[in-house]
Amino acid sequence: MVSDRIGDMTSPTDFVVGFNADVVQQSRGRTLRVLRIGSIFQLLCATAVGVFAFVLLFLYWPVGIVALSTFAIILWDAQRRLRKVQNLRKVWLDHGVPPVAMRLSSAGLEMSLDAPADRVFLPWPTITGLRVHQWLGQDMLIVDLASGVNANTPGTQGLDHPDVQRAMKKPMHGTRGLHTALKVLDQPSTAIDAAARHFTAGRVGIAQFSPEIGSSR
């Protein structure tokens, strides 16, 4: 059995992993700052292109028209990015930090996204394994899905969420798969590994991976 020594067992049939709220808030703050700085830099670039375009209009108007089009595109994208930052900040303020990051049980694995209402549930047969992937000095816990698993797979929930779709379809943080940073969790990887092996009779556990994608230690 999975014991209290390796995690918060809310019942004999599940193992709960929470978020470290302070770490999550710090990480969100850094993310918002980086996104905001990038958007502001893009706005400055758009301003510079706009000034250059107006100058070109007087010197050689065909080139000036092209430069104005470029200015409009850069400005639109910068404004879109700023709106995205504002929306993300509002979502985080409105919902706070979800109380549960992961819940492992005999039925499968449940994962929380940014909003408490957004959850992903995966029956164990849809999961081929868990692994630790290092990206820019940060350890990420990756959930690898069986081939062909999608939002229509029986028993799954939440795989149609846009964030989940992006993680499944293209590499993020240097690898594919559903992911979460280990540092934001209130349980160590050893406890999560033990719980996963307990509920799957040893089939699913955490494989330790080196920074190079796919190379095992």
Side-chain angles (χ1 to χ4, degrees):
M1 285 293 293
V2 182
S3 71
D4 291 336
R5 291 185 296 105
I6 62 170
D8 174 20
M9 289 294 295
T10 58
S11 78
T13 58
D14 67 3
F15 174 81
V16 176
V17 182
F19 283 110
N20 185 322
D22 290 339
V23 176
V24 170
Q25 297 290 19
Q26 292 171 8
S27 178
R28 288 178 172 181
R30 285 193 296 270
T31 298
L32 290 175
R33 283 195 296 273
V34 170
L35 292 175
R36 191 180 297 113
I37 290 172
S39 299
I40 291 173
F41 178 75
Q42 194 169 358
L43 280 175
L44 293 174
C45 289
T47 301
V49 171
V51 171
F52 183 63
F54 279 108
V55 171
L56 285 177
L57 279 176
F58 291 100
L59 298 178
Y60 189 58
W61 70 267
V63 177
I65 293 296
V66 173
L68 275 177
S69 300
T70 303
F71 160 72
I73 292 172
I74 297 175
L75 180 62
W76 173 83
D77 190 56
Q79 292 173 332
R80 179 186 64 83
R81 288 174 180 268
L82 276 176
R83 286 193 299 271
K84 182 178 179 180
V85 173
Q86 293 167 352
N87 291 337
L88 184 59
R89 181 174 181 274
K90 185 178 185 302
V91 168
W92 285 344
L93 286 175
D94 289 346
H95 296 289
V97 179
V100 175
M102 304 173 68
R103 186 187 301 273
L104 295 80
S105 69
S106 58
L109 171 65
E110 180 182 296
M111 300 178 66
S112 295
L113 302 179
D114 275 331
D118 295 329
R119 301 284 180 88
V120 171
F121 179 76
L122 301 163
W124 288 117
T126 66
I127 300 174
T128 59
L130 310 175
R131 58 188 166 90
V132 174
H133 170 75
Q134 194 173 77
W135 177 250
L136 299 179
Q138 179 172 252
D139 287 335
M140 311 292 295
L141 179 61
I142 309 297
V143 179
D144 289 319
L145 303 182
S147 177
V149 171
N150 55 45
N152 297 318
T153 300
T156 62
Q157 296 178 20
L159 292 183
D160 55 346
H161 191 283
D163 291 343
V164 176
Q165 286 291 306
R166 282 192 291 270
M168 292 173 63
K169 291 181 178 179
K170 65 179 183 180
M172 297 181 67
H173 304 294
T175 189
R176 281 189 177 88
L178 305 183
H179 61 274
T180 188
L182 280 173
K183 70 178 183 180
V184 305
L185 305 178
D186 67 0
Q187 296 290 341
S189 59
T190 51
I192 299 170
D193 174 67
R197 293 183 188 279
H198 166 73
F199 290 122
T200 63
R203 185 183 71 84
V204 176
I206 297 179
Q208 301 292 325
F209 271 56
S210 69
E212 293 79 19
I213 298 177
S215 60
S216 60
R217 291 176 184 168

